[in-house]
Amino acid sequence: MQTTNSCAKNKNTRENFARKLPFLLSRNKIISAIKNFFASENFTEVDTPILQYSPGMEVHLFAFETQFNNINGIDSEKLYLHTSPEFSMKKLLSFGLKNIFQFTHTFRNEVVSPTHYPEFTMLEWYRIGYNYEKLMDDCEKILRESLSSIGTDHFEYNGKKCYIKDGIERLTIAKAFEKFCHFDILSTIDNPQKPTTKLLKPIAQKLGINVSEIDTWDDIYEKLMFEFIEPNLGIDRPTILYEYPIHQAALSKEKDGNPNIAERFELYVCGVELANAFTELTNRKVQEERFLHDQAEKKTIYGTTFPIDYEFLDAIENLENCTGIALGVDRLIMLCTHAKDITDVLWIEIPTI
């Protein structure tokens, strides 16, 4: 049985660091290229706190918890390491800043895998006066600049290759399910705000998906995505998956002319989800309703919940029309350098994980 010290020795050795060094030097080049892109677009780089009163409201995200102890030894307050800098960055936008970006360490208390580490680097940026289609163009430019900066022409992971020369494929959720599952996913939504499993469950079972009695519509949807959709996205060329059902909108606004669809997209390369983007919701009342719904659902499923950041909701009232996106930097570097594991592109690993 290994001790903690021996685990640390096995991970963080001179030999392992020497093996990783080419990936890490490429990491610096890629980040510099991305910063140059934002400079050319007249963005302002910002730096927001990692410690937050509310770490994020997504139902299935888990945060690291800590405690602030005041000097008097009496007052204390529960705080969290953020799961995204989104709340803070939108507060800055509400103060009058325009186009902003930031690289930040981000924390999600989830299972370690070849594509996920509990502490990772996130790139987040916002544009005032645009919708999410502008961010699709940004993604293509950033992918091109990232590859060019290290002198390669393709992304690679798990034997899958992806080239940017023909641009990015844009695929709606509806078309993706028609293409890979051969049915209309939107027709299985009997309640736009909270669909039941009545229509989706029998279709999924016919496709060989194991559906339990406690599975929700979203649970079944995620199983179908994992089995049939995601492995086929970003193959040969990057894929943008867009027009999500409105109940999966998170912090995005509804599509103009279709209140059942959200202006949200995700970017995939080599079957790996790389970024998540929204045309930002600027309606305080609707956002508060979504937060309350997410609080209740998280409490029902996991027996816990996070507080609502009402300062953030106040900021929404002063937010201009804008669009924002979060991109996993470590994943991008892994795909650019053809590394096999996300830890290959981290300067040093946490000894006990």
Side-chain angles (χ1 to χ4, degrees), residues 311-334:
E311 185 180 87
F312 168 72
L313 290 177
D314 291 340
I316 284 180
E317 293 184 307
N318 296 310
L319 200 59
E320 296 182 51
N321 292 333
C322 63
T323 187
I325 182 169
L327 183 147
V329 175
D330 306 318
R331 287 184 179 181
L332 173 62
I333 294 165
M334 183 178 71

Side-chain angles (χ1 to χ4, degrees), residues 82-93:
H82 69 193
T83 60
S84 163
E86 182 167 6
F87 290 178
S88 292
M89 292 184 76
K90 286 183 180 176
K91 290 174 188 178
L92 291 177
L93 292 176

Side-chain angles (χ1 to χ4, degrees), residues 6 28 45 63 111 154 200 253 278 309 312 315 321 330 338:
S6 64
N28 286 354
E45 184 172 9
V111 176
H154 71 282
L200 184 57
K253 71 181 288 288
F278 309 131
D309 183 346
F312 168 72
N321 292 333
D330 306 318
H338 313 160

Side-chain angles (χ1 to χ4, degrees), residues 1-2 13 18 21 25-26 39 52 61 155-156 162 187 198 222 235 245 251-252 296 345 349 351-352:
M1 182 176 178
Q2 290 183 322
T13 63
L21 188 56
L25 296 178
S26 292
Q52 292 291 321
L61 283 187
F155 306 95
E156 188 171 336
C162 176
S187 71
K198 179 181 178 181
E222 290 297 337
I235 310 303
L251 288 88
S252 62
V345 300
E349 296 171 54
T352 56

Side-chain angles (χ1 to χ4, degrees), residues 11 62 64 107-120 157 331 334 340-344 346 349-353:
K11 288 183 177 182
F62 299 93
F64 288 94
F107 304 83
R108 296 183 180 180
N109 196 356
E110 299 168 358
V111 176
V112 174
S113 75
T115 59
H116 176 72
Y117 206 65
E119 179 179 355
F120 61 96
Y157 181 69
R331 287 184 179 181
M334 183 178 71
K340 292 180 170 57
D341 193 284
I342 201 165
T343 58
D344 289 337
L346 302 180
E349 296 171 54
I350 302 168
T352 56
I353 293 180

